[in-house]
């Protein structure tokens, strides 16, 4: 989202308040054997396009590209005239190379059932599903909506679409019928793939009724393909086809045809804070190049020995790029888990790591802060000595959460890579490299080799070290979104109009004295206090650095004197007492950590924070509370009862 507060343009850019002196050097053995070394930065700086061409050569192309990049700003074509099949690259080529018996996925169902799927199994499953889609009349360029729990048929469905050149549009299984319908309509999808339900929090949770409700009024949908997962009863409509009826009887052979590097691979909708969801469009060659290379580089993936687990849902871009496409293109062995981290107990994640000897874990700050709140004793009960690299994505990671993650999950041995990217960027853009970077807790550090990002002021001038401002990307990158589905103008307006010639992701950032990058959250969340632009992230991190605080959310509320005043919502750690003095103690702590300008006007102790289904704090709703307004649209909240809990906690004259 572009910032829509023109008044701010004349204000100073983001304050640079936080000081952090901790550094974590890469472990010597990891550095010595790392997939990518410091040379990669130099190689990419010398010839960026040649660098990406070498990354593309890691894939198998049926026809090599003519030109690496055709750039007619802001429209990019990568690997022009190249042809490849994404599913062949993710599956068949590994079988052909003799790795058919290698495990692609260890799948763990929430109730404790499990399945082991080798690359040879995956080849058969994907081929059958591709044949079934063809029988259902789905062909190249058709759109397929996918609304499923985290079961093996989900990645199989994505790959089946990719194989035949159909464009998938995955809609997260927690979304409502209205959200599903609007996404089906926008993409004009022909088919929905779904399941009767999935297991969540110890019980079957139905999906099919939501699809029925959405599809009742979607003329474009010809069929609904339904996987039986929970066995719960489902109403039948005349569009329904059972997966076990149609897919199982197909031939397990399917010859993939090569698609153009710029043929669409998928659409994924991002909600954005206003307006209708944007259908972010990704294509095949560049997307697979960057998702695979970054997975190899940022996680130092060794396909022979690593067991990799990304805990995201495939309904988000993290799952697309780092559960399905990147890991499979690299021939990795991954874990997929269906359910929630607290079922049947709060050690479930650590039990899974112990069971499969997971070596690389990729999760989100919101999950890490929840584990901190649950207590250090829970992970301590499990053997997690197999872990060697930890990753974080989705929000800025507070330095305290970073250090906790490294210590309590990584046994103080593992590097933590804080990876910045977006649905729109398709793959990781800014991140430490685990064998190269002396990482700072809370910093995404440097753009990856081949990525040219910067921090600029409101006049688009690069800020000096020590300065803050707006994150921009100066050059196109292979996995960039190509447009917003059906709306080129909105693509131009949203991402390419704020700073002439640069991509604007909508995030604030700062450069520290060494020139390393710290992400400061969405610019819409930045507060203006007595002429200073202060980032909510920095104040939140200061609060979380207090031993009694588990989580914090900060907003700017209108204030007659200071323009905005800082209001904080705080969840205390398990044992901490909610007392008279805690608010004062925390206000003083922020003042000491960041300076008096950042001292919150008000601190409210709350039991929960409002979050989206992908775990991001919805500060907009907290602003409504802080400014004493009726609360806005809560339809994207993961748990709609949270706002009531928070309102009950408020002093009546808040
Ligand atoms: C927004 C994109 C990328 C996959 C998941 C989210 C925030 C993401 C970080 C990070 C600070 C981060 C940004 C970004 N974000 N990763 N490591 N540090 N902020 O995808 O839903 O498209 O959200 O998430 O604000 O713009 P998304």
């Amino acid at each position: 989202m572009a910032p829509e507060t023109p008044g701010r343009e004349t204000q100073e850019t983001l304050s640079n308040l936080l000081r952090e002196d901790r550094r974590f050097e890469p472990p010597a053995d990891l550095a010595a054997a790392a997939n990518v070394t410091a040379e990669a930065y130099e190689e990419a700086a010398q010839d960026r396009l040649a660098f990406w061409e070498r990354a593309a050569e890691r894939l198998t192309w049926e026809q090599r590209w003519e030109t690496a990049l055709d750039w007619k700003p802001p429209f990019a074509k990568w690997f022009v005239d190249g042809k490849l099949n994404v599913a062949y690259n993710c599956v068949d080529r590994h079988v052909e190379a003799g790795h058919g018996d290698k495990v692609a996925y260890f799948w763990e169902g929430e109730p404790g059932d499990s399945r082991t799927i080798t690359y040879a199994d995956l080849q058969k499953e994907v081929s059958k599903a591709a044949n079934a889609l063809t029988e259902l009349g789905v062909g190249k360029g058709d759109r397929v909506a996918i609304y499923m729990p985290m079961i093996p048929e989900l990645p199989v469905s994505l790959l089946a679409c990719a194989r035949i050149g159909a464009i998938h549009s995955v809609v997260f299984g927690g979304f409502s019928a209205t959200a599903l319908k609007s996404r089906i309509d926008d993409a004009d999808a022909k088919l929905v793939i779904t399941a009767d339900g999935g297991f969540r929090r110890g019980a079957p949770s139905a999906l099919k009724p939501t699809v029925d409700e959405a599809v009742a009024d979607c003329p474009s949908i010809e069929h609904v393909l339904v996987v039986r997962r929970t066995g719960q009863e489902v109403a039948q409509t005349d569009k329904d086809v059972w997966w076990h009826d149609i897919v199982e009887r197909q031939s397990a052979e399917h010859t993939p045809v090569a698609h153009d590097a710029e043929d669409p691979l998928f659409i994924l909708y991002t909600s954005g804070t206003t307006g209708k969801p944007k259908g972010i469009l990704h294509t095949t060659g560049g997307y697979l190049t960057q998702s695979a290379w970054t997975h190899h580089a940022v996680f130092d993936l060794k396909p022979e020995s690593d067991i990799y687990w990304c805990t995201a849902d495939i309904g988000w871009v993290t799952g697309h790029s780092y559960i399905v496409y990147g890991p499979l293109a690299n021939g990795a062995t991954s874990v997929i888990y269906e359910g929630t981290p607290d079922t049947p107990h709060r050690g479930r994640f650590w039990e899974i790591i112990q069971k499969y000897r997971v070596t690389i874990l990729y999760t989100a700050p919101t999950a890490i802060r929840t584990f901190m709140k649950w207590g250090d004793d829970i992970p301590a009960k499990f053997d997690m000595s197999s872990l060697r690299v930890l990753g974080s994505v989705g929000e800025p990671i507070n330095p305290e959460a970073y250090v906790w993650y490294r210590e309590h999950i990584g046994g103080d041995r593992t590097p933590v890579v804080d990876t910045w990217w977006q649905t729109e960027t398709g793959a990781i853009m800014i991140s430490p490299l685990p064998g190269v970077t002396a990482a700072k807790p809370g910093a995404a550090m440097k753009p990856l080799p081949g990525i040219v990002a910067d921090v600029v002021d409101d006049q688009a001038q690069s800020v000096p070290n020590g300065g803050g401002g707006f994150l921009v990307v100066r050059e196109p990158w292979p996995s960039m979104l190509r447009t917003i589905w059906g709306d080129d103008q909105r693509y131009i307006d949203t991402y390419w109009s704020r700073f002439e010639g640069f991509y604007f992701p909508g995030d604030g950032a700062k450069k520290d004295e060494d020139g390393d990058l710290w992400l400061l959250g969405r610019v819409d969340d930045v507060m203006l206090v007595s002429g200073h632009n202060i980032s909510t992230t920095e104040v939140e991190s200061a609060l979380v650095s207090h031993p009694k605080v588990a989580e914090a959310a900060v907003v700017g509320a209108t204030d007659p004197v200071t323009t905005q005043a800082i209001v904080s919502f705080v969840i205390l750690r398990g044992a901490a007492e909610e007392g008279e003095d805690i608010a004062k103690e925390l206000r003083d702590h922020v003042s000491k950590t960041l300076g008096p300008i950042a001292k919150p006007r008000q601190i409210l102790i709350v039991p929960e924070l409002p979050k989206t289904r992908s775990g991001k704090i919805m500060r907009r709703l907290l602003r409504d509370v802080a400014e004493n307004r009726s609360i806005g649209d809560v339809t994207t909240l993961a748990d709609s009862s949270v706002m009531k809990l928070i309102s009950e906690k408020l002093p009546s004259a808040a």
Side-chain angles (χ1 to χ4, degrees), residues 502-520:
F502 299 161
Y503 173 81
F504 177 47
D507 283 17
K510 68 180 191 187
K511 278 186 204 167
D512 66 17
E513 297 303 334
D514 306 320
D516 292 322
L517 300 181
W518 297 70
L519 276 303
L520 297 177

Side-chain angles (χ1 to χ4, degrees), residues 103 105-118 121 150-153 199 229 334-339 348 351-352 355-356:
V103 175
Y105 290 125
F106 286 115
W107 175 80
E108 179 86 4
E110 197 191 70
D113 50 339
S114 59
R115 277 170 67 184
T116 298
I117 298 149
T118 64
D121 296 335
M150 285 281 282
I151 55 177
E153 289 80 0
F199 288 96
R229 161 63 181 141
S334 302
V335 171
I336 297 184
Y337 171 54
E338 176 185 32
R348 185 70 190 268
E351 189 178 68
I352 291 173
K355 173 174 175 184
Y356 293 104

Side-chain angles (χ1 to χ4, degrees), residues 453-635:
D454 197 2
V455 182
V456 299
D457 63 17
D458 47 39
Q459 303 301 314
Q461 298 302 308
S462 184
V463 305
N465 288 356
F470 305 95
L471 182 71
V472 294
V473 186
R474 290 174 172 273
E475 300 286 348
W477 62 100
S479 64
M480 67 189 272
L481 77 165
R482 297 306 194 255
T483 188
I484 292 173
W485 180 255
D487 201 344
D488 286 349
Q489 192 56 47
R490 193 169 177 207
Y491 166 70
I492 297 168
D493 294 344
T494 309
Y495 304 109
W496 298 93
S497 299
R498 179 68 177 77
F499 299 104
E500 179 73 37
F502 299 161
Y503 173 81
F504 177 47
D507 283 17
K510 68 180 191 187
K511 278 186 204 167
D512 66 17
E513 297 303 334
D514 306 320
D516 292 322
L517 300 181
W518 297 70
L519 276 303
L520 297 177
R522 310 293 298 165
V523 289
D524 317 70
D525 287 334
V526 169
M527 303 170 289
L528 181 58
V529 184
S530 306
H532 295 264
N533 276 311
I534 297 180
S535 108
T536 49
T537 298
E538 287 192 303
V539 181
E540 286 162 7
S541 288
L543 285 162
V544 174
S545 74
H546 189 285
K548 288 184 187 160
V549 174
E551 266 205 271
V554 163
V555 298
T558 310
D559 184 283
V561 181
T562 58
T563 317
Q564 283 188 313
I566 302 176
V567 178
S568 311
F569 297 78
V570 168
I571 304 180
L572 297 177
R573 283 231 204 179
E577 287 285 322
E578 186 178 331
E580 282 279 296
D581 296 334
I582 184 84
K584 180 174 184 313
E585 193 178 325
L586 296 180
R587 292 175 73 236
D588 291 346
H589 175 74
V590 173
S591 178
K592 232 177 28 225
T593 317
L594 297 178
I597 182 75
K599 187 170 178 162
R601 180 183 75 187
Q602 213 174 355
I603 297 214
L604 299 163
I605 308 297
V606 293
E608 284 298 338
L609 291 171
K611 289 186 187 156
T612 63
R613 292 184 169 87
S614 60
K616 291 192 212 292
I617 297 169
M618 290 184 75
R619 292 183 190 74
R620 167 174 67 78
L621 298 178
L622 294 174
R623 221 146 40 220
D624 291 341
V625 171
E627 297 184 340
N628 241 333
R629 265 195 306 275
S630 60
I631 290 162
D633 182 11
V634 294
T635 49

Side-chain angles (χ1 to χ4, degrees), residues 112-131:
D113 50 339
S114 59
R115 277 170 67 184
T116 298
I117 298 149
T118 64
Y119 276 92
D121 296 335
L122 198 57
Q123 186 182 34
K124 290 190 197 103
E125 297 295 323
V126 172
S127 297
K128 283 188 191 176
N131 286 325

Side-chain angles (χ1 to χ4, degrees), residues 225-304:
L225 180 55
V226 191
V227 178
R228 185 180 281 153
R229 161 63 181 141
T230 57
Q232 60 203 129
E233 219 162 286
V234 295
Q236 296 277 334
T237 77
D238 54 6
K239 292 181 177 175
D240 292 357
V241 186
W242 282 106
W243 181 283
H244 54 259
D245 284 340
I246 188 165
V247 178
E248 289 317 315
R249 65 172 163 75
Q250 301 293 326
S251 155
E253 312 241 316
H254 179 276
T255 311
V257 294
H259 302 291
D260 192 275
E262 283 297 333
D263 278 342
L265 178 62
F266 66 85
I267 302 168
L268 187 57
Y269 286 85
T270 60
S271 42
T273 43
T274 51
K276 75 170 189 163
K278 302 188 283 279
I280 303 303
L281 181 71
H282 285 288
T283 58
T284 62
Y287 171 80
L288 196 64
T289 296
Q290 193 174 332
S291 56
W293 185 81
T294 52
H295 181 254
H296 160 85
V298 172
F299 300 107
D300 190 44
L301 180 98
K302 309 279 197 260
E304 329 67 61

